[in-house]
């Protein structure tokens, strides 16, 4: 009697895991007032350290998910190896959201070791993730799965620091083919100076504003003088911001 043959089973394609609620270390614990002062200080420090450790674990897990998407979508013409697509508003061109790449993954497997290394040590560890920025100066680096999670974190910040009022914050995404995507609410993107260090006076001197008459004569934007960028200093850091009136084109806004 011939031996039975079993069909080879195909391994499923590596996919990003859905976020699930996890037990938080130290959640619900309070420092009792009946213990000595030095014990209370030690317990507070332990709870703070546990909270930071838990937040770090969540960030690393999100980076691993992003690394899996990048590896399984390497060379994908739809998302350009990003694994996620940042959508734009057709009228304004501002980024309006994010969604997983609808195309079929180019690779079925991702090495566990490579994923762990990419999530911790790769310069692209934040690629495919989303962060948020607030006009008050607070900025969260890309560490959220999508724009929905980033917007939720931004609302929590506004609730704590601005009394629950919206002050015009926005999310931004880091893609594989560009360092950062434009914010969703039309707030111009701001990048730190990663090139040669310059004196603050020389950095600010790069701004070339023009009078309305001069801008009309040259046919360029009056705010940036046709450069398309504005140079400023925030919290001691030199930053470049896309000119809001012309959206970086350097031309007058019709």
């Amino acid at each position: 009697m011939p031996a039975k043959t079993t069909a080879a089973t195909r391994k499923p394609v590596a996919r990003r895991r859905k976020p699930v609620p996890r037990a938080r270390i130290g959640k619900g614990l309070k420092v009792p007032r009946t213990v000595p002062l030095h014990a209370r200080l030690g317990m507070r420090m332990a709870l703070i350290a546990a909270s930071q450790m838990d937040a770090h674990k969540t960030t690393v897990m999100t980076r691993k998910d992003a690394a899996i998407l990048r590896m399984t979508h390497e060379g994908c013409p739809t998302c350009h190896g990003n694994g996620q697509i940042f959508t734009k508003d057709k009228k304004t061109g501002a980024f309006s959201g994010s969604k997983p790449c609808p195309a079929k993954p180019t690779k079925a497997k991702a090495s566990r070791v490579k994923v762990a290394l990419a999530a911790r040590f790769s310069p692209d560890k934040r690629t495919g993730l989303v962060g948020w920025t607030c006009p008050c100066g607070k900025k969260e680096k890309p560490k959220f799965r999508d724009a929905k999670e980033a917007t939720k974190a931004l609302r929590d910040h506004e609730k704590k620091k601005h009394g629950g009022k919206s002050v015009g914050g926005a999310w931004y995404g880091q893609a594989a083919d560009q360092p950062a995507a434009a914010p969703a609410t039309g707030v111009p993107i701001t990048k730190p100076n990663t090139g040669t260090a310059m004196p603050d006076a020389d950095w600010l001197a790069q701004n070339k504003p023009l009078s309305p008459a001069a801008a009309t004569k040259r046919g360029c934007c009056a705010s940036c003088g046709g450069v398309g960028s504005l140079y400023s200093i925030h919290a001691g850091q030199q930053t470049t911001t896309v000119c809001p009136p012309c959206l970086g084109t350097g031309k007058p806004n019709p």
Side-chain angles (χ1 to χ4, degrees):
M1 183 175 179
K4 294 182 179 180
T5 58
T6 58
T9 58
R10 296 181 59 186
K11 292 185 177 181
V13 176
R15 296 182 181 275
R16 183 175 70 168
R17 295 164 292 183
K18 293 184 178 180
V20 294
R22 298 186 298 116
R24 303 294 180 179
I25 302 175
K27 182 180 180 180
L29 296 180
K30 295 183 179 180
V31 179
R33 296 184 178 182
T34 56
V35 298
L37 178 60
H38 65 278
R40 276 184 281 172
L41 294 176
M43 294 177 68
R44 287 197 182 100
M45 292 178 64
L47 291 177
I48 293 174
S51 176
Q52 293 178 348
M53 184 184 303
D54 193 73
H56 177 69
K57 287 182 179 180
T58 302
T59 301
V60 172
M61 183 180 296
T62 307
R63 290 178 186 172
K64 285 183 178 180
D65 294 339
I68 291 174
L69 288 177
R70 292 197 305 269
M71 292 180 184
T72 55
H73 285 261
E74 184 178 359
C76 175
T78 304
C79 64
H80 305 288
N82 192 42
Q84 188 171 193
I85 298 176
F86 300 119
T87 58
K88 295 182 180 180
D89 187 272
K90 294 182 179 180
K91 294 182 179 179
T92 63
F95 282 74
S96 57
S98 61
K99 62 180 180 179
C101 178
K104 184 178 179 181
T106 57
K107 295 182 180 180
K109 294 188 297 182
S111 171
R112 180 177 296 181
V113 176
K114 291 183 178 180
V115 168
L117 293 176
R120 290 176 172 85
F121 307 109
S122 172
D124 299 327
K125 61 185 179 182
R126 300 184 186 277
T127 299
L129 300 178
V130 181
W132 58 266
T133 178
C134 182
C136 71
K138 178 66 175 179
K139 181 179 180 181
E140 193 73 64
K141 294 181 179 180
K143 69 173 187 178
F144 301 98
R145 294 171 180 265
D146 48 34
K148 184 178 179 180
E149 294 292 329
T151 303
K152 182 180 178 181
L154 176 60
R155 296 294 174 261
D156 291 339
H157 165 74
E158 291 176 343
K159 184 178 180 180
K160 294 178 181 178
K161 300 296 183 180
H162 305 287
K165 297 180 180 179
S166 178
V167 292
W171 66 267
Y172 66 100
Q174 184 165 321
D177 56 346
Q178 56 185 0
T185 58
V187 178
I189 182 173
T190 301
K191 301 179 183 178
N193 178 25
T194 56
T196 306
M198 297 175 58
D200 291 347
D202 295 341
W203 181 262
L204 296 175
Q206 297 180 93
N207 293 309
K208 304 294 183 182
L210 298 174
S211 63
T216 304
K217 185 177 181 180
R218 296 186 184 183
C220 61
C221 175
S223 297
C224 62
V227 179
S229 301
L230 301 178
Y231 302 89
S232 57
I233 300 175
H234 294 286
Q237 187 177 39
Q238 299 173 350
T239 58
T240 305
T241 304
V242 175
C243 180
C246 67
L247 299 178
T249 61
K251 298 180 181 179
N253 196 11

